Amino acid sequence: MLRALAVDDERPSLEELLYLLNADPRIGSAQGAGDATEALRRINRALESGPAGPEAIDVVFLDINMPGLDGLDLARLLTGFAKPPLVVFVTAHEDFAVQAFDLKAVDYVLKPVRKERLAEAVRRAAELAERTDTGPRIPVHEPDPDQIPVELGGVTRFVPVEDITHVEAQGDYARLHTDRGSHLVRIPLSALEERWRSRGFVRIHRRHLVALRHIGELRLDAGTVSVVVGAEELQVSRRHARELRDLLMRRT
């Protein structure tokens, strides 16, 4: 039976979340906090009282956009604790999924909260808590360098990096392309270039990052260079052409 703390500065949202949590048979108790500062005080008391204490907290259901200390700030603070509670983000903002899982969140639930979706988050937290009662807590969705979380219809899915053929810059966002479709994530192309350089991704243009293993053709036409990735032909800028040719030759 999980002991839960729900944190949201909007009273109606907090009451609805508490109602749904209390209706779940895996939740033994659910308390509410109106802001992250109050939540931090309760978590500190819970840790001082110990896992069997009356104020113990197993999992925090945490909003992100709150005045003062926000949900991401609180989650960052919790990563410094020896045995912090599990964290499930419950938010109206889909833009912070990557940051949330970098902070070792168990799940990322979008508002308006659906009963079935919240139940899935509770299931994940309950399974994790049961498996780790005798050892350090390792989140079900600890950031995996082989995957990247994306939001699809309110559900967080994990796309294998090896399935990504190329990435397209779209302002502060990046669109990940695979053979089965594309996914928009709020992370700059430059950040993905740095993160995935060792995984065979190379910048070919200010707007494109390409996985070398997915390049089917390198085309030269009247001084211009392009690559064929799947069904798409992508232009290679002059400043990146030499490096790309060298990398492809070394792979060959």
Side-chain angles (χ1 to χ4, degrees):
M1 300 287 284
L2 291 173
R3 296 156 295 185
L5 175 65
V7 188
D8 198 313
D9 65 309
E10 296 181 356
R11 192 69 191 177
S13 296
L14 180 59
E15 290 177 352
E16 179 185 11
L17 182 55
L18 287 171
Y19 173 79
L20 292 174
L21 289 173
N22 281 311
D24 193 302
R26 292 161 296 197
I27 300 293
S29 64
Q31 306 173 44
D35 58 55
T37 302
E38 179 188 352
L40 186 58
R41 285 196 296 266
R42 293 197 185 191
I43 293 168
N44 275 318
R45 290 201 304 267
L47 294 175
E48 289 172 0
S49 68
E55 297 185 276
I57 298 170
D58 299 305
V59 56
V60 180
F61 292 83
L62 184 58
D63 189 22
I64 287 182
N65 189 17
M66 294 183 287
L69 192 71
D70 68 20
L72 292 172
D73 293 331
L74 177 56
R76 290 188 188 96
L77 290 173
L78 294 182
T79 60
F81 289 21
K83 289 188 177 180
L86 304 172
V87 173
V88 173
F89 283 99
V90 183
T91 177
H93 303 276
E94 63 182 40
D95 304 334
F96 302 104
V98 172
Q99 296 178 54
F101 289 111
D102 282 345
L103 291 169
K104 302 184 179 181
V106 173
D107 207 344
Y108 192 90
V109 180
L110 288 178
K111 297 178 181 178
V113 179
R114 293 183 291 109
K115 179 181 178 180
E116 297 79 7
R117 182 65 183 90
L118 184 63
E120 171 64 15
V122 172
R123 181 192 67 78
R124 293 176 180 178
E127 288 184 354
L128 179 59
E130 183 178 359
R131 290 205 307 267
T132 57
D133 275 344
T134 58
R137 289 184 167 172
I138 303 175
V140 172
H141 293 314
E142 185 175 359
D144 186 342
D146 296 327
Q147 297 178 320
I148 183 168
V150 299
E151 281 291 329
L152 294 172
V155 177
T156 302
R157 302 189 186 279
F158 294 83
V159 175
V161 174
E162 65 179 14
D163 289 351
I164 298 171
T165 58
H166 62 288
V167 187
E168 180 183 2
Q170 294 189 348
D172 292 333
Y173 293 76
R175 183 167 294 280
L176 313 177
H177 292 267
T178 71
D179 290 338
R180 292 181 294 277
S182 66
H183 313 280
L184 194 65
V185 295
R186 188 173 184 179
I187 182 169
L189 190 68
S190 57
L192 291 177
E193 179 185 11
E194 179 68 24
R195 183 184 300 182
W196 291 345
R197 182 178 290 115
S198 62
R199 304 182 67 87
F201 282 80
V202 60
R203 192 74 164 261
I204 65 166
H205 191 275
R206 62 183 177 82
R207 294 189 59 233
H208 289 113
L209 186 68
V210 172
L212 290 173
R213 61 183 170 276
H214 287 290
I215 294 178
E217 295 180 19
L218 176 68
R219 295 179 176 176
L220 305 175
D221 182 18
T224 64
V225 181
S226 62
V227 291
V228 176
V229 181
E232 293 193 55
E233 182 175 356
L234 304 174
Q235 194 74 27
V236 181
S237 67
R238 288 186 176 183
R239 62 175 295 196
H240 294 105
R242 181 184 295 275
E243 178 188 7
L244 177 63
R245 288 198 299 266
D246 290 345
L247 286 171
L248 289 174
M249 289 297 294
R250 286 202 294 270
R251 287 178 68 87
T252 303

